[in-house]
Amino acid sequence: DAGVTQSPTHLIKTRGQQVTLRCSPKSGHDTVSWYQQALGQGPQFIFQYYEEEERQRGNFPDRFSGHQFPNYSSELNVNALLLGDSALYLCASSLGGGGEKLFFGSGTQLSVL
Amino acid sequence: GEDVEQSLFLSVREGDSSVINCTYTDSSSTYLYWYKQEPGAGLQLLTYIFSNMDMKQDQRLTVLLNKKDKHLSLRIADTQTGDSAIYFCAEGTGFGAGTRLTVKP
């Protein structure tokens, strides 16, 4: 039973570029949440997708956008990258549209130079 | 949004009990959670408590919830070196900054 898988594991970009991160939820889960974790800090909620729609959003600018596909997998897109976007991006899956009992992937480490 | 606070560091001797504390502001969630993060890894759901309970025991782990004071704690009995990690308290979509637990032999 595959857990939450994220790709790529590491990514290096330059300021102004755009990036797409991918996530496949745990088998049987239909809800995907994205978090940003800066070094030494707790995860910060970006948004949550359920039934292919954004259901909740944290305090992140419109440069951060996402998508959920019919197979429940999800993408996180970040446009016009800033140095401050350097962080570990975590995907978490759950069941039924709520943010309960999250199962996390190992994350994508994004470095913006 | 939720505001979750916890102390940043805790150091204990192997075999002692560890107690990690957390306070939160939003009381609308059904569950409150403790997650564990080991170096280079994602977060692992450690345990959780239903918001209508005040205590939950799960092997070496005891979770205490004081809804009136919006205070959550995690007690680890007989702490082992393998328990060294960062522990996050979570309520709704909000996470604390994490408590780094160091267990000394």
Side-chain angles (χ1 to χ4, degrees):
Chain A
D1 178 23
V4 179
T5 58
Q6 292 187 243
S7 63
T9 54
H10 295 84
L11 203 51
I12 299 174
K13 292 286 188 179
T14 56
R15 279 181 300 174
Q17 285 190 311
Q18 178 263 344
V19 68
T20 298
L21 311 182
R22 295 176 176 83
C23 172
S24 292
K26 177 180 165 61
S27 178
H29 282 184
D30 57 9
T31 305
V32 173
S33 301
W34 286 93
Y35 285 81
Q36 179 194 68
Q37 186 179 21
L39 192 62
Q41 297 183 23
Q44 298 294 312
F45 175 69
I46 303 174
F47 42 54
Q48 181 191 83
Y49 276 83
Y50 173 63
E51 294 185 331
E52 301 180 51
E53 290 187 7
E54 182 182 294
R55 297 291 177 161
Q56 267 189 288
R57 189 179 183 94
N59 189 24
F60 278 80
D62 292 346
R63 299 187 297 109
F64 290 76
S65 64
H67 189 78
Q68 185 180 34
F69 299 93
N71 67 352
Y72 308 124
S73 67
S74 177
E75 288 181 349
L76 164 66
N77 301 293
V78 186
N79 293 324
L81 284 166
L82 303 174
L83 296 180
D85 295 330
S86 295
L88 180 67
Y89 288 84
L90 294 166
C91 170
S93 72
S94 55
L95 190 58
E100 309 292 0
K101 302 174 191 173
L102 298 175
F103 283 78
F104 281 84
S106 297
T108 295
Q109 184 66 54
L110 173 64
S111 299
V112 182
L113 305 179
Chain B
E2 304 90 350
D3 190 11
V4 181
E5 295 195 0
Q6 49 185 128
S7 52
L8 296 182
F9 301 98
L10 177 64
S11 179
V12 301
R13 292 254 174 232
E14 193 173 19
D16 288 349
S17 292
S18 306
V19 179
I20 302 171
N21 295 300
C22 166
T23 58
Y24 58 95
T25 56
D26 187 354
S27 55
S28 61
S29 296
T30 305
Y31 296 95
L32 293 99
Y33 301 90
W34 286 101
Y35 288 86
K36 178 182 180 182
Q37 186 175 36
E38 296 182 88
L43 277 71
Q44 172 195 356
L45 178 60
L46 194 60
T47 188
Y48 58 92
I49 187 167
F50 187 57
S51 59
N52 281 351
M53 296 172 63
D54 51 21
M55 187 181 87
K56 177 182 178 181
Q57 188 140 6
D58 184 1
Q59 299 181 342
R60 291 191 297 123
L61 306 177
T62 303
V63 180
L64 295 178
L65 174 59
N66 182 329
K67 284 195 74 173
K68 175 177 170 289
D69 295 337
K70 297 185 181 178
H71 182 269
L72 183 72
S73 68
L74 173 69
R75 178 178 180 269
I76 306 173
D78 188 25
T79 313
Q80 303 298 306
T81 54
D83 294 323
S84 293
I86 301 175
Y87 292 81
F88 293 93
C89 169
E91 189 275 330
T93 59
F95 280 73
T99 299
R100 182 180 294 275
L101 173 64
T102 302
V103 182
K104 298 178 180 177

